Amino acid sequence: GAVVSQHPSRVICKSGTSVKIECRSLDFQATTMFWYRQFPKKSLMLMATSNEGSKATYEQGVEKDKFLINHASLTLSTLTVTSAHPEDSSFYICSATPLTDTQYFGPGTRLTVL
Amino acid sequence: SQKIEQNSEALNIQEGKTATLTCNYTNYSPAYLQWYRQDPGRGPVFLLLIRENEKEKRKERLKVTFDTTLKQSLFHITASQPADSATYLCALEGSGNTGKLIFGQGTTLQVKP
């Protein structure tokens, strides 16, 4: 149980385009989902907290107009990187939590912006 | 602000030995602490959660201790195997009861056959 999927697993795009990443909890309802980014050999940095049916809460320094988050249902959250630039290239990981303290992570999405 | 420190140097041990990883934190008293395993290019996988009123928790070959006085958690893998080679992340409950986790930078374990 507690499986989280992400799609796509890998995406390469041109600078200036937008990219949407989906995060789904497959076998539980997630009241809260989190979005992280991770640079090589670095730890996970929380970008935003997403609650179903309400606006996401962004961490300090994260541009909400750049990283659009939608949590449309209890099993789906999406992160859209708008007008992507090479510096947005990173590993993006989502996590989902039912009504417990544990977060279950997706496999991650490798974004490369050319 | 909350700070978590894990040994950034890789830990190399021989198969069959016990691996011990350390997580230290400052400026906070979390209600719980978690350990995750992360393989290259993959998302973290939950291993164990230990609460502030628990001294020790075990799961198969894994053991976690939580010393709230020292502000330290130790993560042990007994009878280590090459398949245990990975990066292990310590995570603390963030403030504000929001469910947020704050992660350490991770320690990479390499178990040699």
Side-chain angles (χ1 to χ4, degrees):
Chain A
V3 179
V4 176
S5 70
Q6 264 183 259
H7 179 79
S9 58
R10 191 180 296 264
V11 57
I12 301 172
C13 68
K14 291 183 179 180
S15 187
T17 59
S18 294
V19 175
K20 180 186 281 189
I21 302 170
E22 289 188 350
C23 177
R24 293 181 186 272
S25 56
L26 299 184
D27 52 2
F28 66 97
Q29 292 188 327
T31 53
T32 305
M33 289 184 170
F34 300 89
W35 286 95
Y36 297 82
R37 66 186 297 183
Q38 186 176 34
F39 292 105
K41 299 192 184 298
K42 298 292 185 183
S43 190
L44 283 76
M45 297 300 297
L46 179 65
M47 298 175 66
T49 303
S50 169
N51 290 296
E52 186 263 341
S54 60
K55 288 186 178 180
T57 303
Y58 291 81
E59 294 299 301
Q60 192 173 11
V62 178
E63 299 175 60
K64 60 182 179 182
D65 295 330
K66 173 78 171 172
F67 299 100
L68 300 179
I69 292 172
N70 184 287
H71 195 154
S73 74
L74 285 172
T75 59
L76 173 64
S77 177
T78 60
L79 167 68
T80 301
V81 183
T82 62
S83 187
H85 290 284
E87 58 266 29
D88 298 323
S89 298
S90 189
F91 191 52
Y92 291 88
I93 313 174
C94 73
S95 72
T97 182
L99 292 173
T100 68
D101 300 323
T102 301
Q103 293 184 23
Y104 298 95
F105 285 83
T109 297
R110 173 74 59 195
L111 170 63
T112 302
V113 185
L114 302 177
Chain B
S1 62
Q2 301 156 346
K3 192 175 178 183
I4 305 172
E5 287 187 359
Q6 292 184 256
N7 192 340
S8 58
E9 293 181 13
L11 178 63
N12 295 298
I13 64 168
Q14 206 66 35
E15 182 177 9
K17 300 291 186 184
T18 296
T20 298
L21 286 69
T22 305
C23 175
N24 294 297
Y25 59 94
T26 57
N27 299 330
Y28 192 51
S29 296
Y32 57 82
L33 183 151
Q34 304 186 32
W35 284 88
Y36 288 79
R37 168 183 173 144
Q38 186 175 26
D39 290 282
R42 307 299 300 271
V45 174
F46 170 74
L47 296 175
L48 283 166
L49 179 152
I50 187 165
R51 299 191 183 277
E52 60 181 341
N53 61 346
E54 299 174 308
K55 296 286 187 190
E56 180 180 297
K57 194 165 240 186
R58 292 174 185 261
K59 178 182 175 183
E60 297 173 353
R61 293 184 296 110
L62 308 180
K63 185 178 85 171
V64 172
T65 62
F66 193 7
D67 189 325
T68 54
T69 301
L70 289 178
K71 294 189 182 294
Q72 180 182 78
S73 175
L74 298 178
F75 176 78
H76 306 272
I77 305 175
T78 58
S80 60
Q81 304 166 0
D84 295 326
S85 299
T87 296
Y88 291 87
L89 302 168
C90 164
L92 299 184
E93 170 214 21
S95 60
N97 197 28
T98 58
K100 290 183 190 179
L101 290 176
I102 300 175
F103 283 85
Q105 74 271 35
T107 298
T108 298
L109 172 67
Q110 187 72 37
V111 181
K112 298 182 179 180

